Amino acid sequence: MGCVGSSEKRVDGHGKRLKKPKPWKHPEPITRSQLKQMRDEFWDTAPHYGGKKEIWDALRAAAEADTNLAQVIVDSAGIIVTSEEMSTCYDERGAKYDLPKYVLSEPTNLIKDG
Protein backbone atom coordinates (compact mmCIF):
# COMPACT_ATOMS: atom_id res chain seq x y z
CA MET A 1 0.00 0.00 0.00
CA GLY A 2 1.46 3.38 -1.04
CA CYS A 3 0.65 6.94 -0.23
CA VAL A 4 -2.07 8.77 -2.08
CA GLY A 5 0.26 10.60 -4.51
CA SER A 6 2.55 7.67 -5.28
CA SER A 7 0.54 6.25 -8.17
CA GLU A 8 1.16 7.21 -11.82
CA LYS A 9 -2.60 7.38 -12.39
CA ARG A 10 -4.37 10.29 -10.75
CA VAL A 11 -7.15 9.51 -8.29
CA ASP A 12 -9.36 12.25 -9.79
CA GLY A 13 -9.21 10.65 -13.26
CA HIS A 14 -7.49 13.58 -14.97
CA GLY A 15 -4.53 11.56 -16.23
CA LYS A 16 -0.96 11.60 -14.98
CA ARG A 17 0.75 13.81 -12.39
CA LEU A 18 2.94 16.38 -14.08
CA LYS A 19 6.70 16.09 -13.83
CA LYS A 20 9.49 18.37 -14.90
CA PRO A 21 10.26 17.66 -18.59
CA LYS A 22 13.34 15.61 -19.44
CA PRO A 23 16.41 17.52 -20.68
CA TRP A 24 16.54 17.92 -24.45
CA LYS A 25 18.89 19.43 -26.99
CA HIS A 26 17.90 21.69 -29.89
CA PRO A 27 19.50 20.67 -33.24
CA GLU A 28 21.65 23.81 -33.03
CA PRO A 29 22.35 26.12 -30.08
CA ILE A 30 19.74 28.89 -29.78
CA THR A 31 19.48 32.07 -27.73
CA ARG A 32 16.81 32.83 -25.17
CA SER A 33 15.27 35.40 -27.54
CA GLN A 34 15.11 32.81 -30.35
CA LEU A 35 13.42 30.37 -27.96
CA LYS A 36 10.93 33.07 -26.93
CA GLN A 37 10.16 33.79 -30.59
CA MET A 38 9.57 30.08 -31.28
CA ARG A 39 7.26 29.86 -28.28
CA ASP A 40 5.33 33.01 -29.22
CA GLU A 41 4.85 31.73 -32.78
CA PHE A 42 3.58 28.38 -31.50
CA TRP A 43 1.10 29.90 -29.04
CA ASP A 44 -0.12 32.44 -31.65
CA THR A 45 -0.86 29.75 -34.24
CA ALA A 46 -1.83 26.72 -32.09
CA PRO A 47 -5.56 27.60 -31.70
CA HIS A 48 -5.93 27.66 -35.51
CA TYR A 49 -5.21 23.92 -35.66
CA GLY A 50 -8.19 22.90 -33.57
CA GLY A 51 -9.30 22.68 -29.99
CA LYS A 52 -10.69 25.43 -27.81
CA LYS A 53 -8.92 28.75 -27.26
CA GLU A 54 -9.61 28.55 -23.50
CA ILE A 55 -7.78 25.21 -23.34
CA TRP A 56 -4.83 26.58 -25.34
CA ASP A 57 -4.69 29.56 -22.95
CA ALA A 58 -4.73 27.23 -19.93
CA LEU A 59 -2.01 25.06 -21.49
CA ARG A 60 0.15 28.13 -22.10
CA ALA A 61 -0.30 29.28 -18.50
CA ALA A 62 0.55 25.77 -17.26
CA ALA A 63 3.60 25.51 -19.55
CA GLU A 64 4.94 28.80 -18.18
CA ALA A 65 4.29 27.89 -14.53
CA ASP A 66 6.14 25.68 -12.07
CA THR A 67 5.03 22.05 -11.86
CA ASN A 68 2.70 22.45 -8.86
CA LEU A 69 0.86 25.46 -10.29
CA ALA A 70 0.74 23.78 -13.72
CA GLN A 71 -1.01 20.80 -12.10
CA VAL A 72 -3.62 23.09 -10.54
CA ILE A 73 -4.19 24.86 -13.89
CA VAL A 74 -4.71 21.68 -15.92
CA ASP A 75 -6.94 20.17 -13.23
CA SER A 76 -9.06 23.34 -13.01
CA ALA A 77 -9.46 23.50 -16.79
CA GLY A 78 -10.48 19.83 -17.00
CA ILE A 79 -7.47 18.99 -19.16
CA ILE A 80 -6.57 15.30 -19.38
CA VAL A 81 -2.80 14.89 -19.41
CA THR A 82 -1.57 11.65 -20.98
CA SER A 83 2.17 12.33 -20.77
CA GLU A 84 3.93 13.40 -17.58
CA GLU A 85 5.69 16.26 -19.36
CA MET A 86 2.34 17.60 -20.65
CA SER A 87 3.34 17.06 -24.31
CA THR A 88 0.03 15.32 -25.13
CA CYS A 89 -3.25 16.47 -23.59
CA TYR A 90 -6.96 16.22 -24.29
CA ASP A 91 -9.92 18.36 -23.33
CA GLU A 92 -13.08 16.85 -21.89
CA ARG A 93 -14.60 16.57 -25.39
CA GLY A 94 -11.65 14.53 -26.66
CA ALA A 95 -9.81 17.19 -28.70
CA LYS A 96 -6.07 16.51 -28.74
CA TYR A 97 -3.45 19.14 -27.90
CA ASP A 98 0.18 18.40 -28.77
CA LEU A 99 2.81 20.63 -27.19
CA PRO A 100 6.39 20.73 -28.50
CA LYS A 101 9.14 20.37 -25.94
CA TYR A 102 10.42 23.89 -26.61
CA VAL A 103 7.29 25.38 -24.99
CA LEU A 104 7.62 23.11 -21.95
CA SER A 105 11.31 23.58 -21.06
CA GLU A 106 14.58 25.10 -22.18
CA PRO A 107 17.08 23.14 -24.27
CA THR A 108 20.37 22.10 -22.69
CA ASN A 109 22.26 24.02 -25.40
CA LEU A 110 20.57 27.39 -24.80
CA ILE A 111 23.08 30.22 -25.20
CA LYS A 112 22.99 33.67 -23.60
CA ASP A 113 21.88 36.54 -25.79
CA GLY A 114 24.91 38.53 -26.91
Side-chain angles (χ1 to χ4, degrees):
M1 193 184 250
C3 28
V4 174
S6 65
S7 156
E8 287 245 352
K9 189 76 173 157
R10 297 280 309 280
V11 175
D12 60 14
H14 279 278
K16 297 185 180 230
R17 285 267 330 137
L18 296 180
K19 290 185 180 177
K20 186 176 177 181
K22 294 178 181 141
W24 62 281
K25 187 175 181 178
H26 193 271
E28 57 187 54
I30 59 171
T31 64
R32 188 171 301 282
S33 59
Q34 289 172 311
L35 178 62
K36 183 183 180 327
Q37 181 179 357
M38 289 169 58
R39 288 175 172 176
D40 289 343
E41 287 173 6
F42 173 79
W43 293 118
D44 289 344
T45 59
H48 301 290
Y49 295 103
K52 297 168 76 178
K53 182 172 181 347
E54 309 83 62
I55 299 295
W56 283 114
D57 290 346
L59 288 170
R60 181 176 190 165
E64 294 173 353
D66 67 55
T67 309
N68 291 329
L69 180 55
Q71 187 72 60
V72 171
I73 293 168
V74 297
D75 289 348
S76 298
I79 298 169
I80 300 158
V81 180
T82 60
S83 63
E84 295 169 335
E85 304 89 32
M86 213 171 72
S87 58
T88 304
C89 304
Y90 294 87
D91 64 23
E92 292 175 329
R93 294 180 174 227
K96 185 177 181 182
Y97 300 81
D98 286 315
L99 303 181
K101 46 188 157 185
Y102 63 82
V103 301
L104 300 172
S105 65
E106 296 179 345
T108 55
N109 58 342
L110 186 69
I111 53 178
K112 290 185 178 184
D113 288 314

